[in-house]
Amino acid sequence: MFSIAPVFAVWIAWFATAANLVISKFAVPYVTSALFILLACVIAFLCFLPYVCKTGGWKILLDRKVWPQCLAMGTFGTALPMTIFMIALNYTTPVNGAILNQFEIIYSLILAAILLKERPTVRQVGGSLLILLGVGLLLWQAGTTVQLKGDLMIIGCLWMFQLSHIFAKKLPAHMPPQLIAAARALFAIPALAVLVAYLAAFQGPLQFESNATLWSMLFLCAVVNYFLGNTYWYQAIRHMDLSKATAIILSYPVMTFALSVLLRQDKITVYKVLGMILAIGGAYIVTGMVKQGDTK
C-alpha cells in the first residue's frame, strides 16, 4: 500500500493537506476541538497499529533516544497547533487558514537566524515581503471582525510546526516514513489527553454532538490526513528532491480554495485571490533556495 512512486506520494499529501482544513471546518460546530484532534489521532494510530506490530516498530518508538523526539514532534507538530487551527476555524475560513499557513516559512527564516546564525538572502527577504503582503491583505479584509481573531490565532501558532521539524530531523535516518507518521499520531495523544482533561475539569462539559457529519469528518481527518497524508509526505521527502516536494505542497491553498468554494464554506473575493497569489509566490521564492542549499 505504501510502496508508490514519490511523485504520487507527494500529490496524495498535497490533497490531504488541502482537504484537512475543509474537513475540520465541517466538524467545528459539533465537537470540542481538542477532543476531535485526540480522537482523530487515536483512529489514525489504530490504522498504523498492524504495521507497527508486524515490523517491530514498538522497539524503535519506545527507544529512550527516540521517544522524547517523537513526543516533541507529536506535541508541537499536531497536538497544539492543530487544536488551535481548529478553534480558529470557528472564526475564519479554510481558505484563510491555508493562505496564512505560508507564514510558517517566515518563522523558519527567523529560527534559522536565531539557532543557526544564518543570514537571510536578498531573495529570501523579497519572498518574505510578498508573503507578508499576501497575509496583510487577508488581515486587512478581516478588519475588526471576529475573522481577524481566527486569522491571528493561526499566525500565532505556526512557529510550533517549525519546532516540530527540528525534532523530526533528529529521528534515526533508518526510521521508515510510515513509522514517523505513526509516531506523530501516537505521541500527539499525551498532550491532547491532558488538554481534554483540563477543559473537562475547568471549562465544563465537552461538546460532542454525535451525528453523521461529525463521524464522517472524524474518520476522514484521521485516515486522509493523519494516516495517508502524513505517511506519503514523509515518504515523498525521503525519496525525492526536497525542493520539488516543497514546491508541490506549497500550492495546496489552491485546492483548499476550490473545495471551500465548491462546498460553500467560502466565497471568492479579490483580497483572497491576490493574497493567495502573493503568499504562494513568496513561498516559492523563499523555498527556491532549498535546492541550492542542498547542493552546497
Side-chain angles (χ1 to χ4, degrees):
M1 171 181 181
F2 296 118
S3 299
I4 64 173
V7 67
F8 293 124
V10 75
W11 280 112
I12 292 174
W14 173 85
F15 180 81
T17 304
N20 189 51
L21 289 170
V22 178
I23 291 169
S24 298
K25 180 69 173 182
F26 275 117
V28 158
Y30 308 112
V31 64
T32 300
S33 298
L35 179 59
F36 180 84
I37 304 298
L38 172 61
L39 294 174
C41 286
V42 170
I43 294 170
F45 185 72
L46 289 176
C47 294
F48 284 114
L49 191 57
Y51 170 84
V52 174
C53 294
K54 182 179 179 180
T55 59
W58 285 114
K59 184 177 181 180
I60 299 176
L61 293 178
L62 299 180
D63 186 288
R64 64 181 182 177
K65 294 182 179 179
V66 174
W67 74 259
Q69 311 296 336
C70 292
L71 182 62
M73 179 182 67
T75 300
F76 294 103
T78 298
L80 298 181
M82 295 312 299
T83 297
I84 296 172
F85 246 88
M86 192 166 177
I87 294 173
L89 287 174
N90 283 282
Y91 311 105
T92 190
T93 67
V95 173
N96 277 38
I99 297 172
L100 294 170
N101 202 32
Q102 308 300 312
F103 196 86
E104 181 188 346
I105 294 171
I106 296 179
Y107 280 121
S108 75
L109 294 179
I110 294 173
L111 288 175
I114 295 174
L115 300 178
L116 303 177
K117 308 301 180 182
E118 295 181 355
R119 292 184 178 182
T121 65
V122 174
R123 179 176 180 175
Q124 288 173 321
V125 171
S128 298
L129 290 175
L130 285 179
I131 295 173
L132 288 173
L133 184 57
V135 169
L137 283 175
L138 297 186
L139 299 182
W140 177 271
Q141 184 186 32
T144 57
T145 65
V146 292
Q147 181 175 306
L148 180 63
K149 179 179 180 179
D151 291 346
L152 292 177
M153 288 176 68
I154 290 173
I155 293 174
C157 76
L158 292 175
W159 63 271
M160 297 183 192
F161 289 121
Q162 283 300 313
L163 188 59
S164 77
H165 298 335
I166 294 174
F167 290 106
K169 289 180 180 178
K170 295 181 180 180
L171 293 175
H174 65 274
M175 195 168 173
Q178 47 268 51
L179 192 59
I180 298 175
R184 186 166 173 175
L186 174 64
F187 286 95
I189 293 174
L192 288 166
V194 170
L195 184 56
V196 167
Y198 173 84
L199 293 174
F202 296 100
Q203 294 192 10
L206 300 173
Q207 182 184 11
F208 191 88
E209 186 178 328
S210 183
N211 56 52
T213 297
L214 176 56
W215 281 108
S216 59
M217 293 304 106
L218 180 59
F219 280 98
L220 280 174
C221 179
V223 176
V224 173
N225 190 51
Y226 296 136
F227 179 56
L228 296 176
N230 284 347
T231 296
Y232 286 124
W233 170 245
Y234 288 121
Q235 179 175 327
I237 61 176
R238 282 284 182 90
H239 297 97
M240 69 182 294
D241 189 280
L242 180 59
S243 63
K244 293 179 181 178
T246 303
I248 292 173
I249 206 74
L250 282 175
S251 65
Y252 83 86
V254 176
M255 176 54 72
T256 302
F257 204 155
L259 290 174
S260 295
V261 172
L262 182 64
L263 297 173
R264 299 182 180 180
Q265 289 184 342
D266 211 332
K267 295 180 180 179
I268 298 175
T269 68
V270 174
Y271 285 100
K272 290 183 188 294
V273 173
L274 288 177
M276 180 170 60
I277 293 172
L278 289 170
I280 294 177
Y284 271 103
I285 291 173
V286 174
T287 55
M289 303 300 293
V290 172
K291 188 171 183 179
Q292 296 177 26
D294 287 344
T295 58
K296 291 180 180 179

